[in-house]
Amino acid sequence: MPAVIIVVAVVATFAIFEVKRRKHRRFFDRNGGDILKSMGINIFTEGQLKKITNGYKKSIGEGAFGKVYIGVTDDSQQVAVKCSTAKGDVLPQEEFVNEITFQFRISHANLVRLVGCCLETDVPMLVFEFVPRGSLHSVLHGAGKTLPLSLPVRLDIAIGSAEALTYMHSHGCHNHVHGDIKSGNILLDDNLTPKVSDFGSAKLVSVASRYSKWCVSGDMSYIDPIYIKSGRFTEKSDVYSFGVVLLELVTRKPAKYGDNSLYIDFIRSKEEGNGRKLYDEEILSGDDDARSHHHMECLDRISRLPVQCLKEDVDERPTMAEVVEELKEVKAIASGDLSSVAS
Ligand SMILES: Nc1ncnc2c1ncn2[C@@H]1O[C@H](COP(=O)(O)OP(=O)(O)OP(=O)(O)O)[C@@H](O)[C@H]1O
């Protein structure tokens, strides 16, 4: 090969490398790289994430933020890498840095842990612990719907998720609202321990892109009508959305099926004195009549909660801490002897 061609090739390779390096550096600086690095947050390079995800080989889902890929880190930890498709749709640096720092520092057994992030891209990529069983939505209504779910297991899922929300609502001087609670954002590990995901993403993704996703996916059923009027999420918006998840847990029906809204169907049946007809029969089936009756009473008590959580008047809705307390009482009764649950 003539020497001149070799020289041109070397110069071109170097130029491409340099352009890429500068672009990475520009995004890294804009995304608050130096600040986040100085705070001890795990920062991955784009190359490392490519290796971790084996070239973005296996996508495990897609949400308002973008696609999610499974990966394995050098220390053999399975992770879920979220890559945004929304170019340029980024928060101001200070807000982004604050949100990532907060998410990185909080720790709760029922929250999906942020492992780190990659700041060399237009919109940063987020790396989370991988939660193997996927979402509660898919376990209740999708691919995992054959999995038997006893009443105590459903109560544990509800209690763990509610505890994560209570923790976030009371953590630090700023209360942290989730803003997108739904069964699709509650992931389950191998022991069916719930882990609330997507915390803070209500802030990381513009409301406009989230809103259009809600409309398309039917997730509007979870959205507090007060948010629609005021445009502001509060802790009580999470309480509202959690009420819908509780209904899904007791009925094993999706929040919206066909033209039907689970909440409207449930309230209508209750008003007609027929609220029990929507309970999932699996919870009540079995050859022990006394136990079925006992579970029916537990379900009656649990299903009072969504009625309160979904109240139009936010002041009449319970706090998440009150929801946890009530669910724990029902759990103690459901797992214990067959004493009456009426109160
Ligand atoms: N940490 C994780 N572990 C395992 N699977 C995950 C993880 N995070 C996300 N997933 C999978 O990827 C899917 C998409 O997740 P993502 O949080 O991006 O969007 P979503 O919650 O479904 O929708 P939206 O962003 O609109 O709320 C989830 O339903 C889940 O199946």
Side-chain angles (χ1 to χ4, degrees):
M1 198 187 294
V4 67
I5 297 181
I6 296 173
V7 171
V8 169
V10 169
V11 170
T13 309
F14 178 75
I16 292 168
F17 177 81
E18 187 55 20
V19 167
K20 217 171 162 182
R21 193 189 67 78
R22 286 188 188 184
K23 197 169 93 182
H24 282 169
R25 185 70 220 184
R26 206 173 58 245
F27 288 143
F28 183 86
D29 290 343
R30 194 195 61 193
N31 293 326
D34 287 330
I35 309 173
L36 288 168
K37 209 170 166 182
S38 70
M39 288 176 166
I41 286 161
N42 287 337
I43 312 274
F44 294 95
T45 63
E46 212 184 358
Q48 283 172 320
L49 282 194
K50 201 166 173 190
K51 185 170 162 241
I52 284 172
T53 57
N54 197 7
Y56 303 97
K57 201 166 174 194
K58 192 170 167 209
S59 162
I60 47 173
E62 187 166 3
F65 189 79
K67 279 201 168 180
V68 186
Y69 297 89
I70 190 167
V72 184
T73 61
D74 284 346
D75 52 4
S76 307
Q77 185 189 1
Q78 276 197 307
V79 288
V81 179
K82 287 195 178 185
C83 307
S84 177
T85 39
K87 281 204 167 40
D89 194 9
V90 278
L91 279 182
Q93 191 195 88
E94 197 188 333
E95 278 178 56
F96 176 76
V97 167
N98 286 345
E99 188 55 37
I100 293 297
T101 312
F102 177 79
Q103 284 199 35
F104 195 72
R105 292 202 170 144
I106 53 163
S107 163
H108 191 279
N110 301 110
L111 280 178
V112 176
R113 194 168 54 84
L114 180 67
V115 174
C117 54
C118 169
L119 305 166
E120 295 178 347
T121 46
D122 191 358
V123 182
M125 293 193 262
L126 304 176
V127 182
F128 292 93
E129 73 171 298
F130 175 73
V131 191
R133 270 198 189 260
S135 73
L136 174 64
H137 185 273
S138 91
V139 166
L140 285 174
H141 321 297
K145 112 173 156 204
T146 47
L147 185 76
L149 291 175
S150 67
L151 182 59
V153 167
R154 292 182 205 219
L155 276 163
D156 281 340
I157 294 172
I159 291 167
S161 315
E163 282 184 326
L165 288 171
T166 307
Y167 170 81
M168 292 299 284
H169 287 175
S170 59
H171 199 85
C173 45
H174 302 292
N175 46 9
H176 277 252
V177 172
H178 188 290
D180 195 12
I181 283 294
K182 55 183 182 179
S183 54
N185 273 339
I186 296 173
L187 306 180
L188 299 171
D189 75 6
D190 282 328
N191 302 316
L192 296 180
T193 302
K195 287 178 181 269
V196 175
S197 97
D198 254 4
F199 236 110
S201 64
K203 290 188 198 136
L204 298 175
V205 178
S206 75
V207 171
S209 45
R210 198 154 272 276
Y211 197 86
S212 56
K213 174 104 195 314
W214 289 333
C215 296
V216 175
S217 62
D219 294 347
M220 278 309 275
S221 324
Y222 296 92
I223 305 302
D224 179 6
I226 301 301
Y227 165 74
I228 307 284
K229 281 185 206 155
S230 71
R232 212 170 67 83
F233 282 117
T234 67
E235 293 155 40
K236 293 295 177 81
S237 316
D238 285 346
V239 172
Y240 181 97
S241 310
F242 187 77
V244 180
V245 174
L246 271 179
L247 278 182
E248 288 179 78
L249 276 167
V250 295
T251 63
R252 210 169 190 160
K253 289 190 192 309
K256 191 160 173 50
Y257 45 104
D259 288 336
N260 296 14
S261 149
L262 177 57
Y263 169 57
I264 292 174
D265 276 6
F266 180 73
I267 295 295
R268 191 178 300 138
S269 316
K270 256 196 158 340
E271 281 168 2
E272 289 164 358
N274 206 4
R276 289 176 165 181
K277 81 168 183 198
L278 288 177
Y279 295 160
D280 182 10
E281 279 174 15
E282 185 202 325
I283 301 174
L284 302 166
S285 61
D287 42 17
D288 182 344
D289 279 352
R291 185 149 297 278
S292 295
H293 178 73
H294 180 62
H295 281 176
M296 181 69 95
E297 287 188 324
C298 289
L299 286 173
D300 285 345
R301 187 155 159 188
I302 301 167
S303 66
R304 280 187 224 153
L305 275 172
V307 175
Q308 292 161 6
C309 294
L310 289 147
K311 290 250 192 231
E312 177 86 26
D313 181 350
V314 292
D315 295 328
E316 287 184 34
R317 296 178 198 164
T319 62
M320 282 314 302
E322 287 165 342
V323 171
V324 169
E325 207 177 302
E326 174 65 3
L327 287 170
K328 280 187 170 171
E329 273 182 37
V330 183
K331 170 74 197 299
I333 296 162
S335 321
D337 63 4
L338 301 183
S339 58
S340 169
V341 290
S343 70

